[in-house]
Amino acid sequence: MTKNSACKILASVTAAAYLVVAFPVASSAQSVDDLAQVCAGCHGEKGIPVDKTTPVIWGQKRDYILNQLYDFKVGRRANDLMTPVAQSLSKEDMQALATHFSKMAWPDLPQTTPSADDAKTAREVLNSVNCRGCHQANYEGDTVRPRIAGQQDEYLLKTMNDFRNGDRKTYIGMTALMKSVHEEALKPVAEYLASLKVPARTK
Ligand code: HEC
Ligand code: HEC
């Protein structure tokens, strides 16, 4: 990209920001730390969610977080607890929150270790569909593809079923994939993914 076109993009982004300022929403006066306090009520003070069906968001991919907040706001994804929260957020709040949470360290959750049989079933499913082709080698995620290693097992099971039965409409590709997996295999897959750690990157 030339310097000039970068400047033009910057100028239009700035103009868009002014438009938002011209129509303020109540929450935009709040700092990201104030907003993050609201999130902590469910997603946990130290990143460990209060309920097993609430996902970890500390250390999740920034672009993925941003997409989900937007999808909750516009109704592509619906949840009684999360939808009203997203509806109260401005675009700037969402961007600031996505950056904030993506920079936090993924928490160390107490997870159950699946039985050897369940782990085998899970690996067969994960390899046959090549989940790592998108979710990366250690299921650590990348941009819009979420980290799924070490996520809460009950949440993983719930959301995979939501994709499968069409309640979660955020990505048709995941719906098609989940429909191709035998329903009974989803629980071992969720437990196995939840038990995985992402090895530290060697520089
Ligand atoms: C009242 C509880 C509650 C509060 C407060 C809350 N969340 Fe959530 N959040 C949830 C639940 C429950 C889900 C899972 C919804 C589902 O199953 O589809 C969720 C899902 C999410 C997801 C999707 C994660 C994923 O892996 O797909 C993101 C991102 C998120 N919340 C961010 C936030 C942010 C940022 C805040 C603060 C502004 C916040 N949440 C406040 C309950 C809450
Ligand atoms: C073609 C790429 C692709 C493949 C292959 C793929 N995924 Fe995904 N997956 C995605 C994307 C993109 C999302 C985010 C969808 C969205 O925006 O809601 C996602 C979301 C998910 C989520 C939701 C995570 C969360 O935090 O809510 C789970 C769980 C998941 N995938 C599991 C799997 C499993 C298990 C497999 C293999 C059976 C698989 N995926 C294969 C692209 C893929």
Side-chain angles (χ1 to χ4, degrees), residues 33-81:
D33 289 333
D34 289 342
L35 289 168
Q37 274 307 307
V38 177
C39 320
C42 297
H43 291 280
E45 285 289 341
K46 298 220 157 56
I48 300 181
V50 177
D51 286 331
K52 293 285 275 172
T53 50
T54 305
V56 169
I57 57 171
W58 280 36
Q60 187 52 279
K61 299 290 157 200
R62 180 189 182 272
D63 293 349
Y64 173 74
I65 296 179
L66 192 55
N67 273 353
Q68 299 309 303
L69 291 174
Y70 183 73
D71 285 348
F72 279 119
K73 183 161 176 143
V74 301
R76 250 196 303 271
R77 189 171 171 184
N79 178 267
D80 290 347
L81 298 172

Side-chain angles (χ1 to χ4, degrees), residues 176-195:
L177 281 171
M178 289 298 112
K179 279 195 200 284
S180 76
V181 174
H182 197 286
E183 199 178 354
E184 281 172 21
L186 292 182
K187 195 165 186 289
V189 166
E191 276 187 10
Y192 176 78
L193 287 171
S195 73

